[in-house]
PDB file of all heavy atoms in Angstrom:
ATOM      1  N   GLY A  21     -93.873 -43.115  14.644  1.00 92.00           N
ATOM      2  CA  GLY A  21     -92.421 -43.350  15.231  1.00 92.00           C
ATOM      3  C   GLY A  21     -91.586 -43.867  14.162  1.00 92.00           C
ATOM      4  O   GLY A  21     -92.010 -44.288  13.123  1.00 92.00           O
ATOM      5  N   TRP A  22     -90.275 -43.891  14.505  1.00 95.00           N
ATOM      6  CA  TRP A  22     -89.201 -44.249  13.535  1.00 95.00           C
ATOM      7  C   TRP A  22     -87.972 -44.806  14.130  1.00 95.00           C
ATOM      8  O   TRP A  22     -87.491 -44.235  15.265  1.00 95.00           O
ATOM      9  CB  TRP A  22     -88.858 -43.029  12.659  1.00 95.00           C
ATOM     10  CG  TRP A  22     -88.302 -43.439  11.185  1.00 95.00           C
ATOM     11  CD1 TRP A  22     -87.108 -43.374  10.753  1.00 95.00           C
ATOM     12  CD2 TRP A  22     -89.170 -43.910  10.246  1.00 95.00           C
ATOM     13  NE1 TRP A  22     -87.116 -43.755   9.375  1.00 95.00           N
ATOM     14  CE2 TRP A  22     -88.297 -44.214   9.035  1.00 95.00           C
ATOM     15  CE3 TRP A  22     -90.496 -44.130   9.994  1.00 95.00           C
ATOM     16  CZ2 TRP A  22     -88.801 -44.751   7.850  1.00 95.00           C
ATOM     17  CZ3 TRP A  22     -90.991 -44.634   8.860  1.00 95.00           C
ATOM     18  CH2 TRP A  22     -90.146 -44.850   7.696  1.00 95.00           C
ATOM     19  N   MET A  23     -87.396 -45.850  13.709  1.00 97.00           N
ATOM     20  CA  MET A  23     -86.189 -46.501  14.310  1.00 97.00           C
ATOM     21  C   MET A  23     -84.940 -45.643  14.006  1.00 97.00           C
ATOM     22  O   MET A  23     -84.682 -45.428  12.886  1.00 97.00           O
ATOM     23  CB  MET A  23     -86.033 -48.028  13.797  1.00 97.00           C
ATOM     24  CG  MET A  23     -87.038 -48.844  14.178  1.00 97.00           C
ATOM     25  SD  MET A  23     -87.149 -49.284  16.003  1.00 97.00           S
ATOM     26  CE  MET A  23     -85.745 -50.210  16.155  1.00 97.00           C
ATOM     27  N   VAL A  24     -84.284 -45.205  15.069  1.00 98.00           N
ATOM     28  CA  VAL A  24     -83.122 -44.547  14.925  1.00 98.00           C
ATOM     29  C   VAL A  24     -82.033 -44.861  15.905  1.00 98.00           C
ATOM     30  O   VAL A  24     -82.296 -45.487  16.866  1.00 98.00           O
ATOM     31  CB  VAL A  24     -83.432 -42.910  15.264  1.00 98.00           C
ATOM     32  CG1 VAL A  24     -84.489 -42.513  14.270  1.00 98.00           C
ATOM     33  CG2 VAL A  24     -83.798 -42.737  16.746  1.00 98.00           C
ATOM     34  N   ALA A  25     -80.803 -44.554  15.622  1.00 98.00           N
ATOM     35  CA  ALA A  25     -79.603 -44.716  16.422  1.00 98.00           C
ATOM     36  C   ALA A  25     -78.652 -43.476  16.111  1.00 98.00           C
ATOM     37  O   ALA A  25     -77.994 -43.515  15.025  1.00 98.00           O
ATOM     38  CB  ALA A  25     -78.826 -45.891  16.204  1.00 98.00           C
ATOM     39  N   GLY A  26     -78.816 -42.429  17.033  1.00 98.00           N
ATOM     40  CA  GLY A  26     -78.098 -41.189  16.573  1.00 98.00           C
ATOM     41  C   GLY A  26     -77.360 -40.539  17.722  1.00 98.00           C
ATOM     42  O   GLY A  26     -77.659 -40.844  18.947  1.00 98.00           O
ATOM     43  N   TYR A  27     -76.485 -39.599  17.411  1.00 98.00           N
ATOM     44  CA  TYR A  27     -75.876 -38.907  18.372  1.00 98.00           C
ATOM     45  C   TYR A  27     -75.997 -37.412  18.186  1.00 98.00           C
ATOM     46  O   TYR A  27     -75.816 -36.841  16.936  1.00 98.00           O
ATOM     47  CB  TYR A  27     -74.282 -39.141  18.449  1.00 98.00           C
ATOM     48  CG  TYR A  27     -73.523 -38.259  19.393  1.00 98.00           C
ATOM     49  CD1 TYR A  27     -73.613 -38.495  20.809  1.00 98.00           C
ATOM     50  CD2 TYR A  27     -72.790 -37.221  18.811  1.00 98.00           C
ATOM     51  CE1 TYR A  27     -72.838 -37.717  21.657  1.00 98.00           C
ATOM     52  CE2 TYR A  27     -72.160 -36.371  19.839  1.00 98.00           C
ATOM     53  CZ  TYR A  27     -72.096 -36.538  21.173  1.00 98.00           C
ATOM     54  OH  TYR A  27     -71.524 -35.834  22.009  1.00 98.00           O
ATOM     55  N   THR A  28     -76.453 -36.511  19.293  1.00 98.00           N
ATOM     56  CA  THR A  28     -76.658 -35.197  19.109  1.00 98.00           C
ATOM     57  C   THR A  28     -75.525 -34.377  20.021  1.00 98.00           C
ATOM     58  O   THR A  28     -75.447 -34.694  21.063  1.00 98.00           O
ATOM     59  CB  THR A  28     -78.056 -34.834  19.562  1.00 98.00           C
ATOM     60  OG1 THR A  28     -79.029 -35.443  18.732  1.00 98.00           O
ATOM     61  CG2 THR A  28     -78.191 -33.214  19.532  1.00 98.00           C
ATOM     62  N   ALA A  29     -74.833 -33.511  19.317  1.00 98.00           N
ATOM     63  CA  ALA A  29     -73.838 -32.743  20.052  1.00 98.00           C
ATOM     64  C   ALA A  29     -74.384 -31.431  20.269  1.00 98.00           C
ATOM     65  O   ALA A  29     -74.923 -30.693  19.287  1.00 98.00           O
ATOM     66  CB  ALA A  29     -72.534 -32.685  19.238  1.00 98.00           C
ATOM     67  N   GLN A  30     -74.394 -30.824  21.512  1.00 96.00           N
ATOM     68  CA  GLN A  30     -74.732 -29.492  21.927  1.00 96.00           C
ATOM     69  C   GLN A  30     -73.469 -28.733  21.696  1.00 96.00           C
ATOM     70  O   GLN A  30     -72.551 -28.721  22.224  1.00 96.00           O
ATOM     71  CB  GLN A  30     -75.190 -29.477  23.313  1.00 96.00           C
ATOM     72  CG  GLN A  30     -76.415 -30.281  23.572  1.00 96.00           C
ATOM     73  CD  GLN A  30     -77.674 -29.872  22.704  1.00 96.00           C
ATOM     74  OE1 GLN A  30     -77.859 -28.798  22.408  1.00 96.00           O
ATOM     75  NE2 GLN A  30     -78.507 -30.997  22.440  1.00 96.00           N
ATOM     76  N   LEU A  31     -73.676 -27.551  20.701  1.00 97.00           N
ATOM     77  CA  LEU A  31     -72.562 -26.806  20.372  1.00 97.00           C
ATOM     78  C   LEU A  31     -72.490 -25.474  21.001  1.00 97.00           C
ATOM     79  O   LEU A  31     -71.528 -24.719  20.924  1.00 97.00           O
ATOM     80  CB  LEU A  31     -72.620 -26.569  18.800  1.00 97.00           C
ATOM     81  CG  LEU A  31     -72.555 -27.825  18.025  1.00 97.00           C
ATOM     82  CD1 LEU A  31     -72.824 -27.536  16.480  1.00 97.00           C
ATOM     83  CD2 LEU A  31     -71.372 -28.746  18.243  1.00 97.00           C
ATOM     84  N   GLY A  32     -73.468 -25.198  21.893  1.00 96.00           N
ATOM     85  CA  GLY A  32     -73.585 -23.881  22.526  1.00 96.00           C
ATOM     86  C   GLY A  32     -74.345 -22.966  21.756  1.00 96.00           C
ATOM     87  O   GLY A  32     -74.589 -22.935  20.687  1.00 96.00           O
ATOM     88  N   ASN A  33     -74.895 -21.897  22.551  1.00 96.00           N
ATOM     89  CA  ASN A  33     -75.704 -20.670  22.101  1.00 96.00           C
ATOM     90  C   ASN A  33     -76.860 -21.341  21.168  1.00 96.00           C
ATOM     91  O   ASN A  33     -77.392 -20.680  20.356  1.00 96.00           O
ATOM     92  CB  ASN A  33     -74.819 -19.861  21.155  1.00 96.00           C
ATOM     93  CG  ASN A  33     -73.803 -19.203  21.845  1.00 96.00           C
ATOM     94  OD1 ASN A  33     -74.036 -18.712  22.933  1.00 96.00           O
ATOM     95  ND2 ASN A  33     -72.584 -19.124  21.304  1.00 96.00           N
ATOM     96  N   GLY A  34     -77.410 -22.526  21.766  1.00 96.00           N
ATOM     97  CA  GLY A  34     -78.722 -23.040  21.183  1.00 96.00           C
ATOM     98  C   GLY A  34     -78.439 -23.790  19.872  1.00 96.00           C
ATOM     99  O   GLY A  34     -79.436 -24.401  19.250  1.00 96.00           O
ATOM    100  N   PHE A  35     -77.122 -23.997  19.458  1.00 98.00           N
ATOM    101  CA  PHE A  35     -76.782 -24.826  18.242  1.00 98.00           C
ATOM    102  C   PHE A  35     -76.588 -26.257  18.556  1.00 98.00           C
ATOM    103  O   PHE A  35     -76.036 -26.568  19.642  1.00 98.00           O
ATOM    104  CB  PHE A  35     -75.608 -24.216  17.463  1.00 98.00           C
ATOM    105  CG  PHE A  35     -75.811 -22.885  16.803  1.00 98.00           C
ATOM    106  CD1 PHE A  35     -75.793 -21.750  17.385  1.00 98.00           C
ATOM    107  CD2 PHE A  35     -76.169 -23.010  15.479  1.00 98.00           C
ATOM    108  CE1 PHE A  35     -75.878 -20.636  16.659  1.00 98.00           C
ATOM    109  CE2 PHE A  35     -76.321 -21.804  14.784  1.00 98.00           C
ATOM    110  CZ  PHE A  35     -76.331 -20.584  15.361  1.00 98.00           C
ATOM    111  N   SER A  36     -76.949 -27.218  17.660  1.00 98.00           N
ATOM    112  CA  SER A  36     -76.698 -28.646  17.936  1.00 98.00           C
ATOM    113  C   SER A  36     -76.547 -29.200  16.636  1.00 98.00           C
ATOM    114  O   SER A  36     -77.038 -28.685  15.640  1.00 98.00           O
ATOM    115  CB  SER A  36     -77.940 -29.231  18.631  1.00 98.00           C
ATOM    116  OG  SER A  36     -79.072 -29.205  17.971  1.00 98.00           O
ATOM    117  N   ALA A  37     -75.817 -30.433  16.610  1.00 98.00           N
ATOM    118  CA  ALA A  37     -75.752 -31.120  15.352  1.00 98.00           C
ATOM    119  C   ALA A  37     -75.908 -32.689  15.660  1.00 98.00           C
ATOM    120  O   ALA A  37     -75.556 -33.109  16.707  1.00 98.00           O
ATOM    121  CB  ALA A  37     -74.315 -30.906  14.808  1.00 98.00           C
ATOM    122  N   THR A  38     -76.636 -33.290  14.708  1.00 98.00           N
ATOM    123  CA  THR A  38     -76.858 -34.700  14.886  1.00 98.00           C
ATOM    124  C   THR A  38     -76.494 -35.572  13.668  1.00 98.00           C
ATOM    125  O   THR A  38     -76.638 -35.169  12.541  1.00 98.00           O
ATOM    126  CB  THR A  38     -78.421 -34.945  15.132  1.00 98.00           C
ATOM    127  OG1 THR A  38     -78.846 -34.163  16.315  1.00 98.00           O
ATOM    128  CG2 THR A  38     -78.862 -36.327  15.186  1.00 98.00           C
ATOM    129  N   ILE A  39     -75.939 -36.766  13.935  1.00 98.00           N
ATOM    130  CA  ILE A  39     -75.760 -37.723  12.855  1.00 98.00           C
ATOM    131  C   ILE A  39     -76.328 -38.962  13.368  1.00 98.00           C
ATOM    132  O   ILE A  39     -76.295 -39.476  14.527  1.00 98.00           O
ATOM    133  CB  ILE A  39     -74.162 -37.954  12.716  1.00 98.00           C
ATOM    134  CG1 ILE A  39     -73.971 -38.917  11.497  1.00 98.00           C
ATOM    135  CG2 ILE A  39     -73.516 -38.408  13.946  1.00 98.00           C
ATOM    136  CD1 ILE A  39     -74.289 -38.306  10.192  1.00 98.00           C
ATOM    137  N   ALA A  40     -76.961 -39.679  12.397  1.00 98.00           N
ATOM    138  CA  ALA A  40     -77.924 -40.859  12.886  1.00 98.00           C
ATOM    139  C   ALA A  40     -77.865 -41.975  11.769  1.00 98.00           C
ATOM    140  O   ALA A  40     -77.901 -41.567  10.581  1.00 98.00           O
ATOM    141  CB  ALA A  40     -79.246 -40.512  13.288  1.00 98.00           C
ATOM    142  N   LEU A  41     -78.090 -43.209  12.090  1.00 98.00           N
ATOM    143  CA  LEU A  41     -78.550 -44.308  11.269  1.00 98.00           C
ATOM    144  C   LEU A  41     -79.966 -44.397  11.590  1.00 98.00           C
ATOM    145  O   LEU A  41     -80.348 -44.611  12.728  1.00 98.00           O
ATOM    146  CB  LEU A  41     -77.766 -45.516  11.598  1.00 98.00           C
ATOM    147  CG  LEU A  41     -76.213 -45.481  11.377  1.00 98.00           C
ATOM    148  CD1 LEU A  41     -75.522 -46.680  11.784  1.00 98.00           C
ATOM    149  CD2 LEU A  41     -75.788 -44.962   9.925  1.00 98.00           C
ATOM    150  N   GLU A  42     -80.766 -44.699  10.485  1.00 98.00           N
ATOM    151  CA  GLU A  42     -82.275 -44.715  10.693  1.00 98.00           C
ATOM    152  C   GLU A  42     -82.861 -45.766   9.851  1.00 98.00           C
ATOM    153  O   GLU A  42     -82.255 -46.194   8.779  1.00 98.00           O
ATOM    154  CB  GLU A  42     -82.885 -43.321  10.364  1.00 98.00           C
ATOM    155  CG  GLU A  42     -82.554 -42.203  11.197  1.00 98.00           C
ATOM    156  CD  GLU A  42     -83.302 -41.015  11.129  1.00 98.00           C
ATOM    157  OE1 GLU A  42     -84.185 -40.953  10.340  1.00 98.00           O
ATOM    158  OE2 GLU A  42     -83.025 -39.958  11.877  1.00 98.00           O
ATOM    159  N   GLN A  43     -84.128 -46.141  10.129  1.00 96.00           N
ATOM    160  CA  GLN A  43     -84.874 -47.014   9.419  1.00 96.00           C
ATOM    161  C   GLN A  43     -85.013 -46.548   7.941  1.00 96.00           C
ATOM    162  O   GLN A  43     -85.392 -45.330   7.779  1.00 96.00           O
ATOM    163  CB  GLN A  43     -86.214 -47.149   9.986  1.00 96.00           C
ATOM    164  CG  GLN A  43     -87.233 -47.887   9.298  1.00 96.00           C
ATOM    165  CD  GLN A  43     -88.598 -47.948   9.925  1.00 96.00           C
ATOM    166  OE1 GLN A  43     -88.680 -47.598  11.285  1.00 96.00           O
ATOM    167  NE2 GLN A  43     -89.671 -48.256   9.359  1.00 96.00           N
ATOM    168  N   PRO A  44     -84.794 -47.391   6.867  1.00 96.00           N
ATOM    169  CA  PRO A  44     -84.903 -46.933   5.543  1.00 96.00           C
ATOM    170  C   PRO A  44     -86.270 -46.371   5.154  1.00 96.00           C
ATOM    171  O   PRO A  44     -87.260 -46.982   5.617  1.00 96.00           O
ATOM    172  CB  PRO A  44     -84.443 -48.049   4.623  1.00 96.00           C
ATOM    173  CG  PRO A  44     -83.754 -48.882   5.564  1.00 96.00           C
ATOM    174  CD  PRO A  44     -84.372 -48.659   6.911  1.00 96.00           C
ATOM    175  N   ARG A  45     -86.437 -45.270   4.380  1.00 95.00           N
ATOM    176  CA  ARG A  45     -87.778 -44.879   3.927  1.00 95.00           C
ATOM    177  C   ARG A  45     -87.881 -45.393   2.531  1.00 95.00           C
ATOM    178  O   ARG A  45     -87.234 -44.884   1.595  1.00 95.00           O
ATOM    179  CB  ARG A  45     -87.786 -43.265   3.949  1.00 95.00           C
ATOM    180  CG  ARG A  45     -87.503 -42.576   5.311  1.00 95.00           C
ATOM    181  CD  ARG A  45     -88.008 -41.226   5.447  1.00 95.00           C
ATOM    182  NE  ARG A  45     -87.763 -40.604   6.550  1.00 95.00           N
ATOM    183  CZ  ARG A  45     -88.417 -39.460   6.947  1.00 95.00           C
ATOM    184  NH1 ARG A  45     -89.330 -38.925   6.177  1.00 95.00           N
ATOM    185  NH2 ARG A  45     -88.030 -38.827   8.096  1.00 95.00           N
ATOM    186  N   THR A  46     -88.625 -46.357   2.472  1.00 92.00           N
ATOM    187  CA  THR A  46     -88.800 -46.996   1.026  1.00 92.00           C
ATOM    188  C   THR A  46     -90.290 -46.989   0.587  1.00 92.00           C
ATOM    189  O   THR A  46     -91.146 -47.317   1.357  1.00 92.00           O
ATOM    190  CB  THR A  46     -88.431 -48.535   1.191  1.00 92.00           C
ATOM    191  OG1 THR A  46     -89.178 -49.313   2.157  1.00 92.00           O
ATOM    192  CG2 THR A  46     -86.970 -48.599   1.619  1.00 92.00           C
ATOM    193  N   THR A  47     -90.446 -46.671  -0.598  1.00 88.00           N
ATOM    194  CA  THR A  47     -91.664 -46.870  -1.386  1.00 88.00           C
ATOM    195  C   THR A  47     -91.420 -47.926  -2.336  1.00 88.00           C
ATOM    196  O   THR A  47     -90.710 -48.901  -2.218  1.00 88.00           O
ATOM    197  CB  THR A  47     -92.235 -45.455  -1.967  1.00 88.00           C
ATOM    198  OG1 THR A  47     -93.528 -45.767  -2.504  1.00 88.00           O
ATOM    199  CG2 THR A  47     -91.262 -44.832  -2.784  1.00 88.00           C
ATOM    200  N   GLU A  48     -92.054 -47.782  -3.555  1.00 84.00           N
ATOM    201  CA  GLU A  48     -91.986 -48.839  -4.631  1.00 84.00           C
ATOM    202  C   GLU A  48     -90.812 -48.547  -5.531  1.00 84.00           C
ATOM    203  O   GLU A  48     -90.314 -47.455  -5.793  1.00 84.00           O
ATOM    204  CB  GLU A  48     -93.281 -48.776  -5.385  1.00 84.00           C
ATOM    205  CG  GLU A  48     -93.502 -50.145  -6.150  1.00 84.00           C
ATOM    206  CD  GLU A  48     -93.498 -51.340  -5.272  1.00 84.00           C
ATOM    207  OE1 GLU A  48     -92.294 -51.870  -5.184  1.00 84.00           O
ATOM    208  OE2 GLU A  48     -94.511 -51.783  -4.847  1.00 84.00           O
ATOM    209  N   ILE A  49     -90.365 -49.666  -6.130  1.00 87.00           N
ATOM    210  CA  ILE A  49     -89.411 -49.848  -7.249  1.00 87.00           C
ATOM    211  C   ILE A  49     -90.179 -50.444  -8.426  1.00 87.00           C
ATOM    212  O   ILE A  49     -90.728 -51.631  -8.169  1.00 87.00           O
ATOM    213  CB  ILE A  49     -88.049 -50.429  -6.851  1.00 87.00           C
ATOM    214  CG1 ILE A  49     -87.305 -49.485  -5.892  1.00 87.00           C
ATOM    215  CG2 ILE A  49     -87.281 -50.523  -8.259  1.00 87.00           C
ATOM    216  CD1 ILE A  49     -85.915 -50.142  -5.551  1.00 87.00           C
ATOM    217  N   ILE A  50     -90.205 -49.881  -9.562  1.00 85.00           N
ATOM    218  CA  ILE A  50     -91.086 -50.326 -10.617  1.00 85.00           C
ATOM    219  C   ILE A  50     -90.087 -51.047 -11.718  1.00 85.00           C
ATOM    220  O   ILE A  50     -89.324 -50.316 -12.310  1.00 85.00           O
ATOM    221  CB  ILE A  50     -91.994 -49.422 -11.322  1.00 85.00           C
ATOM    222  CG1 ILE A  50     -92.916 -48.918 -10.126  1.00 85.00           C
ATOM    223  CG2 ILE A  50     -92.786 -50.011 -12.439  1.00 85.00           C
ATOM    224  CD1 ILE A  50     -93.835 -47.764 -10.558  1.00 85.00           C
ATOM    225  N   GLY A  51     -90.183 -52.259 -11.997  1.00 79.00           N
ATOM    226  CA  GLY A  51     -89.390 -52.996 -13.025  1.00 79.00           C
ATOM    227  C   GLY A  51     -90.369 -53.533 -14.083  1.00 79.00           C
ATOM    228  O   GLY A  51     -91.174 -54.324 -13.765  1.00 79.00           O
ATOM    229  N   GLN A  52     -90.013 -53.316 -15.415  1.00 67.00           N
ATOM    230  CA  GLN A  52     -90.927 -53.729 -16.444  1.00 67.00           C
ATOM    231  C   GLN A  52     -90.811 -55.386 -16.485  1.00 67.00           C
ATOM    232  O   GLN A  52     -89.739 -55.853 -16.405  1.00 67.00           O
ATOM    233  CB  GLN A  52     -90.551 -53.242 -17.806  1.00 67.00           C
ATOM    234  CG  GLN A  52     -91.360 -53.535 -18.823  1.00 67.00           C
ATOM    235  CD  GLN A  52     -90.957 -53.087 -20.200  1.00 67.00           C
ATOM    236  OE1 GLN A  52     -89.788 -53.016 -20.491  1.00 67.00           O
ATOM    237  NE2 GLN A  52     -91.832 -52.617 -20.976  1.00 67.00           N
ATOM    238  N   GLY A  53     -91.964 -55.996 -16.683  1.00 53.00           N
ATOM    239  CA  GLY A  53     -91.974 -57.498 -16.720  1.00 53.00           C
ATOM    240  C   GLY A  53     -92.424 -58.225 -15.514  1.00 53.00           C
ATOM    241  O   GLY A  53     -92.874 -59.327 -15.603  1.00 53.00           O
ATOM    242  N   ALA A  54     -92.391 -57.483 -14.385  1.00 44.00           N
ATOM    243  CA  ALA A  54     -92.838 -58.162 -13.253  1.00 44.00           C
ATOM    244  C   ALA A  54     -94.437 -58.058 -13.158  1.00 44.00           C
ATOM    245  O   ALA A  54     -95.044 -57.063 -13.312  1.00 44.00           O
ATOM    246  CB  ALA A  54     -92.299 -57.519 -11.929  1.00 44.00           C
ATOM    247  N   THR A  55     -95.070 -59.201 -12.607  1.00 39.00           N
ATOM    248  CA  THR A  55     -96.418 -59.213 -12.567  1.00 39.00           C
ATOM    249  C   THR A  55     -96.820 -59.343 -11.012  1.00 39.00           C
ATOM    250  O   THR A  55     -96.416 -60.458 -10.639  1.00 39.00           O
ATOM    251  CB  THR A  55     -97.228 -60.241 -13.386  1.00 39.00           C
ATOM    252  OG1 THR A  55     -96.873 -60.032 -14.780  1.00 39.00           O
ATOM    253  CG2 THR A  55     -98.739 -60.241 -13.183  1.00 39.00           C
ATOM    254  N   PRO A  56     -97.353 -58.458 -10.324  1.00 33.00           N
ATOM    255  CA  PRO A  56     -97.722 -58.770  -8.916  1.00 33.00           C
ATOM    256  C   PRO A  56     -98.730 -59.853  -8.782  1.00 33.00           C
ATOM    257  O   PRO A  56     -99.601 -60.166  -9.662  1.00 33.00           O
ATOM    258  CB  PRO A  56     -98.378 -57.475  -8.460  1.00 33.00           C
ATOM    259  CG  PRO A  56     -98.022 -56.396  -9.481  1.00 33.00           C
ATOM    260  CD  PRO A  56     -97.781 -57.106 -10.783  1.00 33.00           C
ATOM    261  N   SER A  57     -98.535 -60.616  -7.723  1.00 31.00           N
ATOM    262  CA  SER A  57     -99.423 -61.775  -7.519  1.00 31.00           C
ATOM    263  C   SER A  57    -100.837 -61.320  -7.261  1.00 31.00           C
ATOM    264  O   SER A  57    -101.812 -62.271  -7.596  1.00 31.00           O
ATOM    265  CB  SER A  57     -98.992 -62.622  -6.293  1.00 31.00           C
ATOM    266  OG  SER A  57     -98.950 -61.798  -5.192  1.00 31.00           O
TER     267      SER A  57
END
C-alpha cells in the first residue's frame, strides 16, 4: 500500500486523468564523511 491524496477525472470513452500528492519514495543519500552508527 501507499499513502495518497488524489483526484481522478473521467474524460469519456475510457480515458481518465489523475493528479495526486503521495508518500515520498526515498532510498539512500550518500555523503562523504558520514559514519553510520
Side-chain angles (χ1 to χ4, degrees):
W22 209 250
M23 294 293 292
V24 303
Y27 176 74
T28 300
Q30 300 298 329
L31 306 178
N33 295 322
F35 284 87
S36 65
T38 298
I39 185 71
L41 301 178
E42 299 192 357
Q43 173 184 344
R45 300 199 188 198
T46 59
T47 180
E48 196 57 272
I49 295 178
I50 299 173
Q52 187 182 37
T55 301
S57 59

